[in-house]
Amino acid sequence: MTRSAPAPHSSTYLLGSSTAEHRRLLAQGDLLREAARSLLSRLPLPDQARAIDVGCGPQGILDLLSDKVGPRGTVVGLDNDEQMITWARESIANLSLPNVSTTLGTLSGDSEPAFDLTHCRLLLINSADPEAIVASMAAATRPGGWIAVQEYDWATWQCDPPHPAWDTLKTLLASVFGGDVHIGARLPSLLRDVAGCPYVHTMAHTFYWRAVNPYQRLLLHFAGLFGERLHGRGLDPHTLATLTRELGDHLAHPATVVRESLLVQAWGRKP
Ligand SMILES: C[S@@+](CC[C@H](N)C(=O)[O-])C[C@H]1O[C@@H](n2cnc3c(N)ncnc32)[C@H](O)[C@@H]1O
């Protein structure tokens, strides 16, 4: 089914597995919970269904999948980062999810078709080869089963009023992020052409923030995380500090509104 990761260094997650990222992913999961619940409500599953959350991180949607498949079904949380799997096990224990297990590793392209639902959220956007992941998800899905993907498209991520520091930092960050920050826009064709789903369903969600909400400053958080990469793109530390300060002041203003990236959901059945 899956290929076990031989060592923790096989992790490819550029945002890292710090305690800050752990907190951020759990908070983001809370934010996106209703959207995920709505997606799952559209996917009829058989009795004793098997589901997998690929790149589950510290929790992903394991609790929602557990609920979805019920006590006779089973769920696997898969991640190639050892720390993430440790945290996922903590979540499973804290939330008492007896039908959920974890695996450290990645899906392989020659996986047995073992799942009625193969899901990933915010995995492809961090990947250098999203096609390979989608192909492996399709391979792991039983004929008639569902492949469901939730990914961001940074296109809608804007601040109003606009600010030049936002535009500069967003453009530079997109170039060093490590994956396609507009992958959300490509989900229908990925599921059709790579996963082979004859009909792809789509839905999208977004949010608006003001200064009181921590998400208002997510772009600045990423600028802090990717400082060295930005320097590598020719942005000297002094200019980065100036851009960060100017944008921080702008985002702290009570009148400034940030529109979040678009969360695109796409799902289809494997023939
Ligand atoms: C942005 S996090 C998203 C976590 C979770 N899906 C969620 O929505 O909260 C991406 C996760 O995918 C994992 N990951 C990255 N590439 C992977 C791969 N090829 N196979 C399995 N997990 C992977 C990372 O270790 C990280 O935990």
Side-chain angles (χ1 to χ4, degrees):
M1 173 193 70
T2 56
R3 185 164 291 151
S4 285
H9 65 256
S10 54
S11 167
T12 48
Y13 186 44
L14 291 175
L15 297 179
S17 47
S18 63
T19 45
E21 183 60 3
H22 179 216
R23 261 199 316 277
R24 190 185 77 79
L25 287 174
L26 290 182
Q28 182 173 254
D30 284 343
L31 176 73
L32 303 179
R33 167 174 297 272
E34 282 317 307
R37 207 193 295 279
S38 160
L39 167 65
L40 293 183
S41 73
R42 291 157 200 271
L43 311 178
L45 294 182
D47 190 31
Q48 300 186 32
R50 297 193 71 201
I52 184 167
D53 194 8
V54 184
C56 63
Q59 185 171 317
I61 65 161
L62 294 176
D63 52 335
L64 297 176
L65 287 173
S66 165
D67 203 38
K68 175 78 182 169
V69 301
R72 287 159 55 82
T74 52
V75 176
V76 175
L78 176 73
D79 204 289
N80 66 359
D81 184 300
E82 204 164 21
Q83 183 60 63
M84 293 291 181
I85 285 293
T86 301
W87 284 326
R89 288 191 183 128
E90 275 173 29
S91 295
I92 291 165
N94 292 340
L95 298 168
S96 302
L97 306 174
N99 57 354
V100 182
S101 62
T102 57
T103 302
L104 173 65
T106 58
L107 273 184
S108 59
D110 55 1
S111 296
E112 285 298 308
F115 295 99
D116 302 290
L117 168 58
T118 307
H119 165 269
C120 74
R121 181 175 70 186
L122 306 178
L123 169 65
L124 306 183
I125 193 166
N126 294 296
S127 165
D129 194 354
E131 283 81 5
I133 293 180
V134 171
S136 68
M137 289 176 70
T141 307
R142 289 178 174 150
W146 295 99
I147 301 154
V149 182
Q150 307 185 70
E151 295 290 339
Y152 278 136
D153 177 354
W154 280 20
T156 59
W157 199 15
Q158 289 170 352
C159 67
D160 178 48
H163 194 284
W166 175 281
D167 298 336
T168 304
L169 283 174
K170 185 181 160 190
T171 303
L172 286 170
L173 279 167
S175 71
V176 299
F177 199 71
D180 176 2
V181 298
H182 300 298
I183 190 87
R186 295 170 46 207
L187 296 187
S189 57
L190 278 173
L191 288 197
R192 189 184 58 242
D193 301 341
V194 178
C197 300
Y199 186 83
V200 180
H201 308 258
T202 46
M203 178 74 74
H205 307 257
T206 194
F207 300 89
Y208 283 85
W209 309 120
R210 287 187 182 267
V212 289
N213 194 290
Y215 281 95
Q216 177 94 340
R217 297 176 59 83
L218 185 61
L219 192 75
L220 290 175
H221 175 70
F222 285 161
L225 276 181
F226 287 102
E228 280 197 9
R229 286 176 172 240
L230 292 172
H231 300 161
R233 287 290 160 123
L235 188 65
D236 66 84
H238 174 71
T239 308
L240 176 58
T242 304
L243 289 169
T244 301
R245 191 183 62 252
E246 288 175 357
L247 185 56
D249 290 346
H250 181 62
L251 296 177
H253 196 281
T256 303
V257 174
V258 166
R259 185 177 59 196
E260 182 59 271
S261 298
L262 196 66
L263 181 77
V264 182
Q265 300 174 322
W267 64 100
R269 275 189 195 272
K270 177 170 166 175

